[in-house]
Short mmCIF file of all heavy atoms in Angstrom, two decimals:
data_model
loop_
_atom_site.label_atom_id
_atom_site.label_comp_id
_atom_site.label_asym_id
_atom_site.label_seq_id
_atom_site.Cartn_x
_atom_site.Cartn_y
_atom_site.Cartn_z
N VAL A 1 0.83 -1.20 0.00
CA VAL A 1 -0.02 0.01 0.00
C VAL A 1 0.85 1.27 -0.01
O VAL A 1 0.54 2.23 -0.65
CB VAL A 1 -0.97 0.01 1.24
CG1 VAL A 1 -1.74 1.32 1.26
CG2 VAL A 1 -1.90 -1.17 1.15
N VAL A 2 1.99 1.24 0.78
CA VAL A 2 2.84 2.42 0.78
C VAL A 2 3.50 2.62 -0.58
O VAL A 2 3.54 3.78 -1.07
CB VAL A 2 3.96 2.25 1.86
CG1 VAL A 2 4.93 3.34 1.79
CG2 VAL A 2 3.30 2.17 3.25
N GLY A 3 3.93 1.56 -1.18
CA GLY A 3 4.45 1.66 -2.47
C GLY A 3 3.47 2.19 -3.57
O GLY A 3 3.81 2.94 -4.44
N ALA A 4 2.22 1.71 -3.36
CA ALA A 4 1.17 2.14 -4.23
C ALA A 4 0.93 3.66 -4.10
O ALA A 4 0.77 4.36 -5.12
CB ALA A 4 -0.12 1.43 -3.95
N PHE A 5 1.02 4.16 -2.89
CA PHE A 5 0.86 5.61 -2.70
C PHE A 5 1.92 6.39 -3.37
O PHE A 5 1.63 7.36 -4.09
CB PHE A 5 0.82 5.94 -1.21
CG PHE A 5 0.81 7.40 -0.87
CD1 PHE A 5 -0.33 8.16 -1.02
CD2 PHE A 5 2.01 8.01 -0.55
CE1 PHE A 5 -0.32 9.51 -0.78
CE2 PHE A 5 2.03 9.39 -0.28
CZ PHE A 5 0.83 10.14 -0.40
N PHE A 6 3.16 5.93 -3.27
CA PHE A 6 4.26 6.72 -3.89
C PHE A 6 4.22 6.62 -5.37
O PHE A 6 4.57 7.56 -6.04
CB PHE A 6 5.55 6.25 -3.27
CG PHE A 6 5.92 6.81 -1.99
CD1 PHE A 6 5.80 6.10 -0.80
CD2 PHE A 6 6.33 8.18 -1.84
CE1 PHE A 6 6.05 6.59 0.43
CE2 PHE A 6 6.61 8.70 -0.63
CZ PHE A 6 6.48 7.94 0.51
N LEU A 7 3.77 5.51 -5.95
CA LEU A 7 3.66 5.39 -7.32
C LEU A 7 2.57 6.31 -7.85
O LEU A 7 2.66 6.94 -8.90
CB LEU A 7 3.37 3.93 -7.75
CG LEU A 7 4.57 2.96 -7.79
CD1 LEU A 7 4.13 1.58 -8.30
CD2 LEU A 7 5.69 3.47 -8.63
N ALA A 8 1.46 6.34 -7.09
CA ALA A 8 0.35 7.20 -7.43
C ALA A 8 0.78 8.69 -7.38
O ALA A 8 0.44 9.44 -8.29
CB ALA A 8 -0.82 7.00 -6.50
N LEU A 9 1.52 8.99 -6.35
CA LEU A 9 1.96 10.39 -6.18
C LEU A 9 2.93 10.78 -7.29
O LEU A 9 2.82 11.93 -7.85
CB LEU A 9 2.66 10.49 -4.78
CG LEU A 9 3.10 11.92 -4.43
CD1 LEU A 9 1.90 12.84 -4.19
CD2 LEU A 9 4.00 11.87 -3.16
N ALA A 10 3.84 9.88 -7.65
CA ALA A 10 4.84 10.22 -8.68
C ALA A 10 4.13 10.32 -10.07
O ALA A 10 4.48 11.24 -10.80
CB ALA A 10 5.86 9.01 -8.77
N THR A 11 3.20 9.44 -10.32
CA THR A 11 2.53 9.53 -11.63
C THR A 11 1.63 10.72 -11.76
O THR A 11 1.62 11.41 -12.83
CB THR A 11 1.70 8.26 -11.80
OG1 THR A 11 2.48 7.02 -11.64
CG2 THR A 11 1.10 8.14 -13.29
N ALA A 12 0.89 11.06 -10.70
CA ALA A 12 -0.03 12.11 -10.76
C ALA A 12 0.59 13.51 -10.71
O ALA A 12 0.08 14.49 -11.26
CB ALA A 12 -1.12 11.95 -9.63
N MET A 13 1.68 13.60 -9.97
CA MET A 13 2.28 14.93 -9.69
C MET A 13 3.69 15.13 -10.18
O MET A 13 4.19 16.26 -10.30
CB MET A 13 2.24 15.24 -8.16
CG MET A 13 0.76 15.22 -7.67
SD MET A 13 0.78 15.71 -5.93
CE MET A 13 -1.02 15.65 -5.61
N GLY A 14 4.30 14.04 -10.57
CA GLY A 14 5.76 14.15 -10.97
C GLY A 14 5.96 15.08 -12.15
O GLY A 14 6.92 15.85 -12.16
N GLY A 15 5.12 14.93 -13.21
CA GLY A 15 5.28 15.78 -14.34
C GLY A 15 5.11 17.24 -14.08
O GLY A 15 5.86 18.08 -14.58
N GLY A 16 4.16 17.62 -13.23
CA GLY A 16 3.90 18.98 -12.91
C GLY A 16 5.06 19.58 -12.07
O GLY A 16 5.44 20.71 -12.26
N ILE A 17 5.59 18.74 -11.20
CA ILE A 17 6.68 19.18 -10.39
C ILE A 17 7.94 19.49 -11.25
O ILE A 17 8.58 20.52 -11.07
CB ILE A 17 7.02 18.17 -9.32
CG1 ILE A 17 5.87 18.06 -8.26
CG2 ILE A 17 8.34 18.48 -8.59
CD1 ILE A 17 6.03 16.92 -7.25
N ILE A 18 8.28 18.55 -12.14
CA ILE A 18 9.38 18.80 -13.11
C ILE A 18 9.15 19.98 -13.90
O ILE A 18 10.10 20.82 -14.08
CB ILE A 18 9.60 17.54 -13.94
CG1 ILE A 18 10.00 16.33 -13.08
CG2 ILE A 18 10.72 17.74 -14.96
CD1 ILE A 18 10.04 15.03 -13.86
N ARG A 19 7.98 20.17 -14.39
CA ARG A 19 7.62 21.33 -15.25
C ARG A 19 7.90 22.63 -14.49
O ARG A 19 8.53 23.52 -15.00
CB ARG A 19 6.23 21.27 -15.70
CG ARG A 19 5.71 22.54 -16.47
CD ARG A 19 4.21 22.65 -16.32
NE ARG A 19 3.84 22.94 -14.94
CZ ARG A 19 2.71 22.45 -14.35
NH1 ARG A 19 1.90 21.73 -15.09
NH2 ARG A 19 2.44 22.71 -13.13
N ASP A 20 7.37 22.70 -13.23
CA ASP A 20 7.62 23.93 -12.43
C ASP A 20 9.01 24.19 -12.13
O ASP A 20 9.51 25.40 -12.09
CB ASP A 20 6.76 23.78 -11.19
CG ASP A 20 5.24 23.81 -11.44
OD1 ASP A 20 4.79 24.34 -12.47
OD2 ASP A 20 4.48 23.39 -10.56
N MET A 21 9.82 23.12 -11.90
CA MET A 21 11.25 23.35 -11.68
C MET A 21 11.92 23.90 -12.91
O MET A 21 12.71 24.85 -12.81
CB MET A 21 11.83 22.00 -11.31
CG MET A 21 11.50 21.45 -9.87
SD MET A 21 12.11 19.81 -9.64
CE MET A 21 13.89 20.13 -9.64
N ILE A 22 11.58 23.40 -14.08
CA ILE A 22 12.22 23.81 -15.30
C ILE A 22 11.81 25.30 -15.60
O ILE A 22 12.60 26.13 -16.02
CB ILE A 22 11.83 22.94 -16.48
CG1 ILE A 22 12.51 21.60 -16.28
CG2 ILE A 22 12.24 23.59 -17.83
CD1 ILE A 22 12.08 20.53 -17.30
N LEU A 23 10.54 25.61 -15.30
CA LEU A 23 9.99 27.00 -15.63
C LEU A 23 10.41 27.93 -14.52
O LEU A 23 10.22 29.18 -14.61
CB LEU A 23 8.44 26.94 -15.73
CG LEU A 23 7.89 26.21 -16.95
CD1 LEU A 23 6.35 26.24 -16.90
CD2 LEU A 23 8.45 26.81 -18.29
N GLY A 24 10.99 27.43 -13.41
CA GLY A 24 11.43 28.30 -12.33
C GLY A 24 10.32 28.95 -11.52
O GLY A 24 10.50 30.10 -11.09
N VAL A 25 9.27 28.21 -11.32
CA VAL A 25 8.16 28.73 -10.54
C VAL A 25 7.91 27.75 -9.32
O VAL A 25 8.30 26.57 -9.36
CB VAL A 25 6.86 28.88 -11.33
CG1 VAL A 25 7.11 29.91 -12.42
CG2 VAL A 25 6.39 27.57 -11.93
N GLU A 26 7.25 28.33 -8.29
CA GLU A 26 6.97 27.49 -7.09
C GLU A 26 5.90 26.49 -7.45
O GLU A 26 4.90 26.87 -8.05
CB GLU A 26 6.52 28.40 -5.99
CG GLU A 26 6.26 27.68 -4.69
CD GLU A 26 5.71 28.53 -3.58
OE1 GLU A 26 5.75 29.81 -3.75
OE2 GLU A 26 5.40 28.04 -2.51
N SER A 27 6.07 25.29 -7.08
CA SER A 27 5.14 24.23 -7.35
C SER A 27 4.01 24.27 -6.28
O SER A 27 4.31 24.39 -5.08
CB SER A 27 5.72 22.86 -7.39
OG SER A 27 4.75 21.89 -7.63
N SER A 28 2.78 24.18 -6.66
CA SER A 28 1.65 24.21 -5.72
C SER A 28 1.30 22.79 -5.21
O SER A 28 0.38 22.63 -4.44
CB SER A 28 0.45 24.81 -6.38
OG SER A 28 0.01 24.10 -7.51
N THR A 29 2.02 21.81 -5.65
CA THR A 29 1.69 20.42 -5.34
C THR A 29 1.49 20.16 -3.85
O THR A 29 0.48 19.57 -3.44
CB THR A 29 2.76 19.49 -5.88
OG1 THR A 29 2.87 19.63 -7.33
CG2 THR A 29 2.48 18.03 -5.57
N PHE A 30 2.44 20.65 -3.05
CA PHE A 30 2.40 20.30 -1.65
C PHE A 30 1.77 21.48 -0.78
O PHE A 30 1.69 21.35 0.42
CB PHE A 30 3.82 19.97 -1.12
CG PHE A 30 4.37 18.76 -1.78
CD1 PHE A 30 5.38 18.90 -2.76
CD2 PHE A 30 3.94 17.49 -1.47
CE1 PHE A 30 5.95 17.74 -3.35
CE2 PHE A 30 4.42 16.37 -2.04
CZ PHE A 30 5.42 16.48 -2.98
N ASN A 31 1.33 22.47 -1.52
CA ASN A 31 0.70 23.56 -0.79
C ASN A 31 -0.91 23.52 -0.96
O ASN A 31 -1.55 24.24 -0.29
CB ASN A 31 1.13 24.91 -1.46
CG ASN A 31 2.55 25.22 -1.19
OD1 ASN A 31 3.14 24.80 -0.18
ND2 ASN A 31 3.27 25.92 -2.12
N ASP A 32 -1.33 22.58 -1.78
CA ASP A 32 -2.73 22.43 -2.00
C ASP A 32 -3.21 21.10 -1.46
O ASP A 32 -2.87 20.01 -1.97
CB ASP A 32 -3.02 22.50 -3.50
CG ASP A 32 -4.51 22.38 -3.80
OD1 ASP A 32 -5.32 22.17 -2.86
OD2 ASP A 32 -4.87 22.65 -5.00
N PRO A 33 -3.91 21.14 -0.31
CA PRO A 33 -4.30 19.85 0.36
C PRO A 33 -5.25 18.97 -0.50
O PRO A 33 -5.33 17.79 -0.34
CB PRO A 33 -5.02 20.28 1.62
CG PRO A 33 -5.47 21.70 1.29
CD PRO A 33 -4.45 22.32 0.41
N TYR A 34 -5.95 19.60 -1.47
CA TYR A 34 -6.92 18.89 -2.25
C TYR A 34 -6.21 17.91 -3.21
O TYR A 34 -6.77 16.87 -3.56
CB TYR A 34 -7.83 19.78 -2.97
CG TYR A 34 -8.76 20.64 -2.04
CD1 TYR A 34 -8.48 21.97 -1.87
CD2 TYR A 34 -9.80 20.03 -1.37
CE1 TYR A 34 -9.31 22.67 -0.95
CE2 TYR A 34 -10.62 20.71 -0.52
CZ TYR A 34 -10.41 22.05 -0.30
OH TYR A 34 -11.12 22.76 0.54
N HIS A 35 -5.07 18.25 -3.66
CA HIS A 35 -4.32 17.34 -4.56
C HIS A 35 -3.85 16.16 -3.86
O HIS A 35 -4.02 15.03 -4.36
CB HIS A 35 -3.16 18.10 -5.27
CG HIS A 35 -3.54 18.99 -6.39
ND1 HIS A 35 -3.87 20.30 -6.25
CD2 HIS A 35 -3.64 18.71 -7.74
CE1 HIS A 35 -4.15 20.82 -7.46
NE2 HIS A 35 -4.08 19.85 -8.32
N LEU A 36 -3.28 16.34 -2.70
CA LEU A 36 -2.87 15.16 -1.92
C LEU A 36 -3.96 14.32 -1.41
O LEU A 36 -3.97 13.12 -1.39
CB LEU A 36 -2.01 15.67 -0.66
CG LEU A 36 -0.63 16.29 -1.04
CD1 LEU A 36 0.02 16.79 0.21
CD2 LEU A 36 0.26 15.24 -1.73
N THR A 37 -5.14 15.00 -1.09
CA THR A 37 -6.29 14.29 -0.69
C THR A 37 -6.80 13.43 -1.84
O THR A 37 -7.24 12.29 -1.65
CB THR A 37 -7.44 15.28 -0.28
OG1 THR A 37 -6.96 16.01 0.86
CG2 THR A 37 -8.68 14.47 0.11
N THR A 38 -6.76 13.96 -3.08
CA THR A 38 -7.15 13.21 -4.21
C THR A 38 -6.29 12.01 -4.43
O THR A 38 -6.80 10.94 -4.84
CB THR A 38 -7.08 14.11 -5.50
OG1 THR A 38 -7.94 15.28 -5.29
CG2 THR A 38 -7.55 13.34 -6.72
#
């Protein structure tokens, strides 16, 4: 189950996090509780 959570987190948010890093902007991934809740 723990592995499943990290795979889900990586798949759902990994692309957005990388994009924000490249664009040089703050990622909202961990600032928005609704995404993690989802």
Side-chain angles (χ1 to χ4, degrees):
V1 176
V2 175
F5 172 77
F6 280 104
L7 283 184
L9 186 67
T11 308
M13 299 185 178
I17 292 173
I18 296 173
R19 175 206 64 216
D20 291 340
M21 290 175 62
I22 292 175
L23 294 178
V25 296
E26 182 180 356
S27 179
S28 62
T29 299
F30 298 105
N31 296 327
D32 184 350
Y34 294 107
H35 280 90
L36 290 176
T37 300
T38 301

